[in-house]
Amino acid sequence: MAIVVKRKPLTLLEKLYIPEIARGLMVTFRRMFFGETVTMEYPEQRPPIPAGYRGVPTLVKDPEGREKCVSCQLCEFVCPPKAIRIQPGEISEDSEYAHVEKGPKEFDIDMLRCIYCGMCQEVCPEEAIWLQNQYSMSGYSRAEMVNNKAKLYELGGTLPDEHFKWNKKKEAAENGGGHH
């Protein structure tokens, strides 16, 4: 059963909307001349970033400039919108990083699909993916919004590493192969 609400009929001034327009302009002028400014001039003034902010996912290197990513593909599997694509690559035996299992041949993150959930950072066992405090990303085409491996390392940079996992593996390989 429908409920019918009766309304009083509008007066002539209410039909013309003049009083409502005047009231809206009064509020606007009061804020312009007597109120506190709440507008932020964006590129020059940036809002404070709250703690726990999840921004753009990037790849980081260790302090020695080596790739931390070992192409385990956990981030690709856990990504809800499937924005991450990794093509694993082999590391040659004569490389100084031969003690590392493997590295990414290609690593792409489609920023148009990314939902900034942070699951890729949480699942990464090597701490190779980090969410940066960057919140303004733009591009003129869809292709510009797909960050490849080089762009991801450029955005991510280098983070301190307290584990030194690869150094320990290299030392173990040189001293007989056992883990310490």
Side-chain angles (χ1 to χ4, degrees), residues 8-179:
K8 66 175 188 148
L10 297 176
T11 65
L12 179 63
L13 284 177
E14 289 173 335
K15 288 179 182 176
L16 295 176
Y17 301 110
I18 292 174
E20 298 307 314
I21 291 172
R23 279 187 15 189
L25 286 173
M26 279 184 6
V27 170
T28 301
F29 287 130
R30 196 171 357 154
R31 294 291 291 173
M32 274 176 43
F33 298 117
F34 305 110
E36 184 180 320
T37 305
V38 292
T39 304
M40 189 174 289
E41 297 182 19
Y42 169 63
E44 292 82 25
Q45 298 175 342
R46 296 188 178 246
I49 296 175
Y53 176 76
R54 293 182 294 207
V56 175
T58 61
L59 288 174
V60 294
K61 294 184 177 184
D62 71 359
E64 296 179 16
R66 296 180 295 211
E67 290 183 335
K68 293 176 90 174
C69 180
V70 294
S71 296
C72 65
Q73 296 179 300
L74 287 174
C75 56
E76 182 177 6
F77 295 134
V78 78
C79 184
K82 304 296 181 203
I84 300 174
R85 295 280 178 247
I86 301 173
Q87 182 179 358
E90 296 295 323
I91 295 179
S92 64
E93 301 260 342
D94 58 341
S95 170
E96 69 176 291
Y97 306 126
H99 55 284
V100 178
E101 293 94 13
K102 56 186 174 177
K105 185 176 181 183
E106 292 181 21
F107 196 113
D108 298 325
I109 299 180
D110 187 349
M111 298 312 300
L112 295 174
R113 296 187 81 175
C114 180
I115 58 174
Y116 302 92
C117 64
M119 291 179 78
C120 54
Q121 179 180 350
E122 294 294 324
V123 77
C124 184
E126 303 299 327
E127 297 178 350
I129 279 194
W130 282 89
L131 301 179
Q132 302 295 336
N133 288 339
Q134 183 179 354
Y135 51 84
S136 58
M137 290 212 43
S138 61
Y140 291 106
S141 68
R142 288 183 175 270
E144 287 181 29
M145 296 304 292
V146 176
N147 291 341
N148 61 9
K149 185 169 117 174
K151 174 82 175 192
L152 291 169
Y153 277 121
E154 177 186 326
L155 291 171
T158 302
L159 283 182
D161 187 3
E162 299 170 9
H163 307 296
F164 301 109
K165 175 182 177 180
W166 301 130
N167 291 344
K168 291 176 185 174
K169 280 196 149 198
K170 187 174 185 179
E171 289 170 10
E174 290 170 355
N175 295 331
H179 291 286

